[in-house]
Amino acid sequence: MQNSVTPDAISAVLANPSFDSSSDRSEIVVQVVDLKPIGNRYTFSANDGKTRVKAMFTASLTPEIVSGKIQNLGLIRLVDFTVNDISSKSTKYFLVTKCEAVACALDSEIDLDGKKDEEESGEAAKRQKLDHSPVRDVKETGITLKPKQEFVAKSASQIISEQRGNAAPAARMAMTRRVHPLVSLNPYQGSWTIKVRVTNKGNMRSYKNARGEGCVFNVELTDEEGTQIQATMFNDAARKFYERFQMGKVYYISRGSLKLANKQFKTVQNDYEMTLNENSEVEEASNEEMFVPETKFNFVPIEELGMYVNQRELIDLMGVVQSVSPTMSIRRRTDGEMIPKRDITLADESKKTVVVSLWNDLATGVGQELLDMADESPVIAIKSLKVGDYQGVSLSTISRSNVVINPESPEAKKLKSWYDSEGKETSMSSIGSGINASAKNGSWSMYTDRVLLSHITSNPSLGDDKPAFFSTRGYISFIKPDQTMWYQACKTCNKKVTEAMDSGYWCEGCQKKDKECSLRYIMVVKVSDSTGEAWFSSFNDEAEKIIGCSADELNKLRSEGGEVNEFQTKLKEATWSSHVFRISVTQNEYNGEKRQRVTVKGVAPVDFAAEARLLLQDISKKNTTSQ
């Protein structure tokens, strides 16, 4: 059996596409390079001194690696293997199913070409070395092997530890696992490691519910590509990691779990949220190259802000600064502390303006900078703004808001060019000026973005990146009588309550128990028009307008007996009635499959005069186009 690598063996195998394991394969010895664990298998690069190829050991060979029989930089003889293609690349790899260890780890990776150069330049030094070391097959391969050693059983962790030396913990994690970008993670993935910066850290909060008391806190993590995810820790994990996570620092994180994010409570743009437990690994990357995450924006035009009023979802905005107010001091209601505030007015190509309130450091820092350059009409991009209903529509910064002045992006350059060429002289109106109280109930924009149901059902990718908003007119064609039509809610905050063990109802939001609760709608209805039909999800305020009574009243009708079923009668009265709907279209994941979800944001009776004006506008547009 040869005790050195087989030169040019890999090139010969790769050059023969019909290579057969049983007949064509002569004795091939290669060096194991870059041995790494991937799940319950190990990957490596097979090196014949001139060529390297990616390779993988099957799971059956893992015990030999763990025991130390097969080592990194050691030699193995390939007994049985197959040559496979990497589907995503035009390259091949070896899948090793059977092999024999030939030699323990060498001092370094074998490089035949490099050895030849060394021979020509240092004959004397090499001759002196050969006088004291046993040599095998020097003339044949040009390789000097270490003296024969006995195999010593070592664990995989011992082998890898010896190869790393005194590497820092974070560096060790980086060497043993490939760092995954956040965008690649999903709940069905196995082990992973991420490298992220803490861009927001919440406070430790206590909670109490029917199952007991506990504590929780969360952090927002951002990777080098700018992708964000929210990570939550409870009880032991919260106490373990609260002090470890520090704002602005970079960490390696592994052994966490993912689940679909609750869109009602999520604070970042990600379909998933992460949970870390006490067994999760969090190590600071203190001695490695740091990175500043790229800030990713998902801009909302000013004219579309109305649909976000008083919603939990935060928005990003880009606009031209039209005016900047002086700093003012506002007394906070909770503790009476005086905090600085500054208002700026922004405009965009929708020819609408909106007031943004900057608070705390943003008011005194960025706000002052904007005041100094207000005459230049700078473009600013703001991430994470809360949309309120003060004066119709108003925006406010929060603790994690980020402001970028004159960003270097195509959108900013386009907006600046528009404003300089025509925007300065254009008459603009405030986004809140045309919104009345009914806007909060969703009836605002009932006659904008009007589509037929076929537009939604024929476009299954609608709402994939962000919610898509439309208005539509249709009939309630069917209401399932046996569905779960409501939930038990707290009378104070409207959040879901659970039945207490003794009596009454426990509200986790208010952290208190009440004797009674109220019912709030959460139901689906089928809506039809001339082009098709779709299922709409409807919540309390909108469902009350559709059904014509509260959930408590409908529940009372369901429980009543009698010859006439008043519950069924009420549902029949609600069907085949025409409404105008303001809807959002999003994508939800169920059993690994994405499904379209249509949610009613507002519902109003048909205004036939307004419908007639809308039809006249469509006719006018078509006539103009045809000419």
Side-chain angles (χ1 to χ4, degrees), residues 219-234:
V219 291
E220 291 176 11
L221 308 172
T222 308
D223 68 6
E224 195 166 6
E225 297 177 356
T227 306
Q228 292 184 297
I229 195 168
Q230 179 175 293
T232 304
M233 288 139 280
F234 293 91

Side-chain angles (χ1 to χ4, degrees), residues 301-561:
I302 293 178
E303 66 177 353
E304 296 180 10
L305 290 175
M307 61 190 69
Y308 295 92
V309 171
N310 293 333
Q311 301 296 315
R312 291 181 178 272
E313 186 175 357
L314 302 176
I315 64 100
D316 304 337
L317 186 75
M318 176 181 286
V320 179
V321 178
Q322 284 197 316
S323 64
V324 182
S325 76
T327 303
M328 60 193 84
S329 295
I330 304 296
R331 186 179 300 278
R332 188 156 49 194
R333 295 178 182 176
T334 54
D335 55 10
E337 182 184 354
M338 301 297 291
I339 54 177
K341 173 193 174 186
R342 190 192 300 265
D343 290 337
I344 60 174
T345 303
L346 302 181
D348 68 5
E349 291 174 286
S350 64
K351 300 178 183 178
K352 297 288 185 180
T353 63
V354 67
V355 175
V356 180
S357 296
L358 305 178
W359 296 89
N360 297 310
D361 293 341
L362 290 178
T364 56
V366 174
Q368 184 59 46
E369 187 176 350
L370 291 175
L371 181 62
D372 296 339
M373 58 190 307
D375 295 339
E376 304 172 15
S377 300
V379 174
I380 67 169
I382 310 179
K383 186 168 187 63
S384 300
L385 286 168
K386 185 177 181 181
V387 187
D389 59 7
Y390 179 68
Q391 294 182 344
V393 176
S394 60
L395 301 176
S396 294
T397 60
I398 58 177
S399 59
R400 58 177 168 272
S401 297
N402 183 27
V403 180
V404 180
I405 301 176
N406 289 327
E408 294 291 333
S409 66
E411 299 95 332
K413 293 177 181 177
K414 180 183 176 184
L415 179 59
K416 182 63 174 175
S417 176
W418 166 82
Y419 190 79
D420 290 341
S421 60
E422 58 177 294
K424 285 182 178 179
E425 310 301 328
T426 301
S427 176
M428 299 190 190
S429 60
S430 170
I431 181 64
S433 60
I435 301 178
N436 52 33
S438 63
K440 301 172 190 177
N441 297 326
S443 61
W444 182 67
S445 295
M446 286 294 184
Y447 298 95
T448 61
D449 307 318
R450 176 64 67 88
V451 297
L452 298 170
L453 289 179
S454 59
H455 176 77
I456 300 171
T457 56
S458 63
N459 291 279
S461 61
L462 275 178
D464 196 10
D465 296 328
K466 63 178 181 179
F469 294 88
F470 304 100
S471 62
T472 189
R473 175 186 167 188
Y475 294 87
I476 305 292
S477 56
F478 182 61
I479 303 174
K480 290 182 180 180
D482 56 346
Q483 65 176 301
T484 302
M485 303 182 70
W486 46 69
Y487 67 95
Q488 295 174 327
C490 172
K491 289 189 173 183
T492 303
C493 67
N494 295 329
K495 290 185 178 180
K496 186 177 180 179
V497 297
T498 55
E499 294 186 9
M501 297 185 66
D502 45 2
S503 63
Y505 302 89
W506 173 261
C507 175
E508 187 171 341
C510 298
Q511 294 287 300
K512 67 176 183 179
K513 185 177 76 172
D514 286 328
K515 294 181 179 180
E516 298 179 347
C517 68
S518 61
L519 299 181
R520 291 180 65 83
Y521 283 115
I522 176 171
M523 57 185 290
V524 292
V525 297
K526 184 184 285 187
V527 178
S528 305
D529 68 6
S530 60
T531 64
E533 58 188 20
W535 288 99
F536 286 10
S537 297
S538 179
F539 295 95
N540 191 70
D541 294 344
E542 293 75 25
E544 282 187 355
K545 295 179 182 179
I546 293 172
I547 302 298
C549 65
S550 68
D552 288 304
E553 293 169 339
L554 190 62
N555 182 49
K556 185 177 180 181
L557 294 178
R558 174 184 272 183
S559 60
E560 289 178 353

Side-chain angles (χ1 to χ4, degrees), residues 115-153:
K115 289 291 183 181
K116 290 177 181 177
D117 294 338
E118 183 179 312
E119 286 177 357
E120 296 172 358
S121 60
E123 282 291 335
K126 186 172 182 181
R127 192 177 300 110
Q128 183 178 359
K129 179 180 178 181
L130 295 177
D131 291 340
H132 298 88
S133 302
V135 179
R136 293 181 176 86
D137 299 328
V138 175
K139 293 181 180 180
E140 179 183 349
T141 65
I143 305 171
T144 301
L145 297 181
K146 295 166 62 178
K148 184 177 179 181
Q149 303 175 14
E150 294 183 1
F151 286 116
V152 179

